[in-house]
Amino acid sequence: VTQWLVLSGSIETPRVDIYSIPEISDEESEDDQNEDLFNLRFVNLQTAISDIEVFISNSDETFNEAVLVTGLQSYALSNNYKFDEDQYKVYITASGSADVLFTSEEINYAYGGQYLISIRENQGVGGSPFVIDNISNSSITQYDASESQANVTVYNGLDINDLLPNYNASINIEVAGVTTIPNITDLAYGQFTDAYQIDSGDYKFTISNAENDAVLLNNRALSMP
């Protein structure tokens, strides 16, 4: 049995939960032999929506093809489920609702073994109230909602340097193909811009000297996951 300890809440009002997860042998039953299967459980560690339902589909399918795996109340641990080793997407709704509140990116289960998906409240940016962690015995990977937006703040940390004789410590920045980030002008050294939300993806940005428009970086690729 694996004892899994979860510390949640805040410093003022901490909460500790201990979950007992039975070890499952690769040869637990004759039906599992000669099949490429993995074991998966879910735990609901958020309280914003106390009753949720979890669905799963193949990575090339949509929610319309997804199957209901389990319903979970807050801090509940699901039963164990077996799936073929493959790539999947996870969906979360409020109990009894068809409104999808979370759609994961593709999760690759290439090996057998035991996995646990924890469902947490999203404390960051993006439109979904949830994030999930895919937990194995060797790693933890966080998955945000597949259509979450990125939150961008620009900071000018480029100080005056002898290698930039024409630089006066303030910059202009242009991000190609983005309407939610205006052209940033005269951003002084040590200063931040406001925060901007953009769709996740890859962008190109150009930085120039604010005094004379001399280009310092041109069409540099920037990934916003």
Side-chain angles (χ1 to χ4, degrees):
V1 175
T2 296
Q3 299 289 334
W4 191 55
L5 185 147
V6 177
L7 176 63
S8 59
S10 64
I11 293 176
E12 292 83 4
T13 57
R15 173 180 175 130
V16 178
D17 292 275
I18 300 176
Y19 298 90
S20 296
I21 302 177
E23 294 289 341
I24 298 175
S25 170
D26 291 336
E27 299 179 355
E28 185 181 74
S29 68
E30 294 181 359
D31 293 338
D32 293 343
Q33 296 183 26
N34 302 318
E35 292 188 40
D36 295 327
L37 300 175
F38 69 95
N39 299 281
L40 182 62
R41 294 176 185 266
F42 299 86
V43 62
N44 180 15
L45 299 180
Q46 58 79 43
T47 58
I49 301 176
S50 59
D51 290 289
I52 61 173
E53 292 179 338
V54 182
F55 298 76
I56 197 168
S57 78
N58 291 329
S59 60
D60 58 351
E61 295 177 330
T62 68
F63 180 68
N64 292 331
E65 290 80 42
V67 296
L68 174 63
V69 180
T70 185
L72 288 173
Q73 294 183 330
S74 295
Y75 297 103
L77 176 69
S78 77
N79 295 326
N80 183 70
Y81 301 94
K82 292 182 178 292
F83 296 96
D84 293 327
E85 293 171 14
D86 208 336
Q87 293 79 43
Y88 294 94
K89 289 191 293 187
V90 173
Y91 310 83
I92 302 172
T93 70
S95 182
S97 172
D99 183 16
V100 179
L101 302 175
F102 176 90
T103 301
S104 76
E105 298 177 343
E106 175 184 299
I107 306 176
N108 184 26
Y109 292 101
Y111 306 99
Q114 290 183 256
Y115 297 87
L116 176 66
I117 287 182
S118 68
I119 301 163
R120 298 185 288 110
E121 183 178 352
N122 179 16
Q123 301 288 346
V125 298
S128 174
F130 306 116
V131 295
I132 65 174
D133 298 311
N134 186 49
I135 303 169
S136 70
N137 61 356
S138 61
S139 66
I140 300 176
T141 304
Q142 177 178 309
Y143 289 85
D144 297 310
S146 60
E147 297 181 356
S148 287
Q149 291 183 308
N151 202 41
V152 181
T153 302
V154 181
Y155 170 75
N156 180 8
L158 184 60
D159 201 356
I160 294 175
N161 191 289
D162 291 340
L163 298 178
L164 298 169
N166 297 320
Y167 175 55
N168 72 339
S170 62
I171 56 176
N172 299 331
I173 302 172
E174 179 181 354
V175 183
V178 180
T179 59
T180 53
I181 299 182
N183 288 339
I184 299 166
T185 58
D186 204 23
L187 181 63
Y189 172 71
Q191 296 298 308
F192 291 90
T193 67
D194 294 331
Y196 306 102
Q197 280 199 344
I198 63 174
D199 293 333
S200 58
D202 298 319
Y203 297 90
K204 293 181 179 179
F205 69 101
T206 297
I207 301 176
S208 59
N209 184 3
E211 185 174 62
N212 56 19
D213 291 329
V215 174
L216 305 176
L217 283 175
N218 188 34
N219 284 335
R220 182 59 59 92
L222 181 68
S223 180
M224 295 291 181

